[in-house]
Amino acid sequence: MIHKQVINHRQTAWLVGSVLMTAMMISSLHKIVAVSKMDAWFSQIMPVGFAIVVAFVLAELSRAYPGKNLFEILFIVCGKWIGGLINVILLIYIWIILTLDIKGASEFFRETLLPRTPVEIILIVFVLLMMYYGRTSLEVAARVNEIYFPAYFILSMMLYFLLGNEYSVERIEPILSTGLGQIFASNIFPIGIYGDILLFGAFLHASTHPRLFFAAMKHGVLIVGFTVTILLLILLGVMGFTIASRLHFPIFILVQQIHVTDFLDRIEIILFSLWFPAFTIKVIVAYLAFLVGVGSFGGQQHYNALNLPSGWFLVVTSLLAFPSVQDFDTFLSYTLPVIVLIIQVPLLLFLYIHARFNRKMDTQVSIPKGTRLYRFYNSMVWIGGLALIGCFLTVVIGDLFLDKSVFAGLLTAIVYIALFFIALLASYGEMQALNHGKQKLAQSKQAGSFRQ
């Protein structure tokens, strides 16, 4: 029964990280590198800001319509016919995400690991695995994700040390030499992937504390933004923008460059064994969201009956979509960001206005003013926000006012990375403060006071 699932803040943050970050392995990072060259690692700040805004609107909807998911909220706000039409548009959007993921993963397997296996067989096996998890709920996916995503994240962050003997700072210099126009264009491409955070709108009923739900999603988004920034920095420092811009799967090729010893030179197998389960969780989340959306038209509480026909529908449509990797890359880089902006921006603006009128007091996760915990939480919110704004201003000021010397470029890079890392730490502190406040509030109901 999908309406009885509940996930905690840590599971939410890691699910967001898995949904957004694992797709980068098969995404068109080379398109970003081709546009902004050695400054491609500045391409994450605007998509991160966009995803945080989407998460904020979803949290407001959860607060205004508790116990309802995005599809049910649209029926409530827009009525049967208009709401149904918008839900159909959202289902088409989720179908596009699923088709991209399934076909992209199948092409990735065929070109890198299973060159002699027909793509149809790979695709069918992958969908069967997805249909198996479709019989469960988001709770199961969240628990499995707790095993694989942290290991995948740690290994991704270790790539710099594993590739230290291949890394050269000269390959990313001169920093900020491509211009703000190209850096801005490279920030548009990832919006298509970061827009997948809207999938969590199908599971708003799994959130019992809207403010904590938003803090967890924001922390997950910042994990993705910081990690992808580091991965792009490593990719450019090892391969240079010329080679990286011509590779379909640059991260996989990057990992192949690791040679720790003469007998340990297949690290990509280890990374793949961690990436594949995490990526599967990403596809399962999208598939469950699709089932929730289809089931919302009939008011069904059980969605197992929709699992089999939906799975085979995805098999057929995925086989027909994107005949080549080039078609997949072009759609992912140029078309998907436009679809995300056209669908999500007006829809979320409309829903946010309605949510503000129906907003209820969030008494479940309240931290009384004047306590040390509230001061800590408030400081984390401000530090995180100012750090993100500082990242944006660092790029603008570095391009407009600093000279193009090596020292100025390195100073800009260090400040940018430091501010991004501070924002990540602040989001973690904000999430933990709200979680601690929730626990203290539950204890105060018995003790009659809140003291910290």
Side-chain angles (χ1 to χ4, degrees), residues 82-339:
I82 302 298
L85 177 61
I86 298 175
N87 280 335
V88 169
I89 295 174
L90 287 180
L91 283 175
I92 294 174
Y93 169 63
I94 297 174
W95 168 75
I96 291 174
I97 294 174
L98 284 167
T99 304
L100 281 169
D101 290 338
I102 294 170
K103 192 60 177 288
S106 300
E107 292 290 348
F108 171 74
F109 297 152
R110 185 177 65 85
E111 291 201 5
T112 58
L113 299 171
L114 303 171
R116 297 185 179 181
T117 304
V119 69
E120 294 82 3
I121 301 300
I122 301 174
L123 190 147
I124 290 174
V125 172
F126 189 68
V127 173
L128 287 175
L129 176 63
M130 183 180 67
M131 291 168 61
Y132 173 79
Y133 275 93
R135 300 168 54 190
T136 60
S137 67
L138 187 66
E139 287 184 6
V140 177
R143 295 191 187 109
V144 175
N145 188 61
E146 284 187 288
I147 301 173
Y148 292 101
F149 178 74
Y152 175 69
F153 168 75
I154 293 173
L155 184 58
S156 298
M157 298 301 294
M158 287 177 59
L159 288 181
Y160 179 81
F161 303 100
L162 295 174
L163 289 164
N165 58 334
E166 305 286 342
Y167 194 86
S168 176
V169 179
E170 288 77 10
R171 295 192 180 101
I172 64 172
E173 294 177 344
I175 297 173
L176 291 177
S177 61
T178 56
L180 286 179
Q182 291 169 283
I183 294 176
F184 174 79
S186 67
N187 274 264
I188 300 298
F189 292 162
I191 287 179
I193 295 177
Y194 279 85
D196 290 357
I197 195 173
L198 187 67
L199 295 172
F200 289 87
F203 310 105
L204 294 181
H205 52 270
S207 169
T208 57
H209 307 284
R211 200 186 307 177
L212 182 57
F213 179 63
F214 166 66
M217 284 196 293
K218 182 169 72 171
H219 181 58
V221 169
L222 286 169
I223 289 176
V224 176
F226 183 78
T227 305
V228 176
T229 298
I230 299 299
L231 287 177
L232 282 169
L233 192 60
I234 298 170
L235 176 67
L236 292 169
V238 172
M239 296 184 176
F241 72 89
T242 302
I243 297 177
S245 63
R246 298 176 181 177
L247 300 173
H248 286 301
F249 307 110
I251 299 299
F252 183 81
I253 303 301
L254 175 67
V255 179
Q256 286 185 323
Q257 308 307 309
I258 299 175
H259 301 288
V260 178
T261 63
D262 293 336
F263 59 88
L264 187 60
D265 59 351
R266 296 301 305 272
I267 303 298
E268 72 273 10
I269 301 300
I270 301 176
L271 180 66
F272 173 77
S273 65
L274 296 174
W275 168 81
F276 177 68
F279 178 78
T280 304
I281 297 301
K282 188 261 185 183
V283 182
I284 290 169
V285 170
Y287 184 61
L288 289 174
F290 185 80
L291 293 180
V292 171
V294 174
S296 65
F297 285 88
Q300 300 181 27
Q301 300 297 316
H302 295 270
Y303 298 93
N304 288 340
L306 305 171
N307 188 19
L308 185 61
S310 298
W312 288 114
F313 169 76
L314 289 172
V315 169
V316 175
T317 54
S318 298
L319 285 173
L320 299 176
F322 311 114
S324 65
V325 178
Q326 288 76 15
D327 297 327
F328 169 81
D329 280 342
T330 302
F331 188 91
L332 186 64
S333 301
Y334 301 108
T335 306
L336 187 60
V338 177
I339 293 175

Side-chain angles (χ1 to χ4, degrees), residues 35-55:
V35 170
S36 55
K37 298 181 173 58
M38 67 284 292
D39 293 328
W41 55 286
F42 291 115
S43 63
Q44 301 300 305
I45 188 64
M46 289 179 60
V48 164
F50 174 80
I52 290 175
V53 172
V54 175

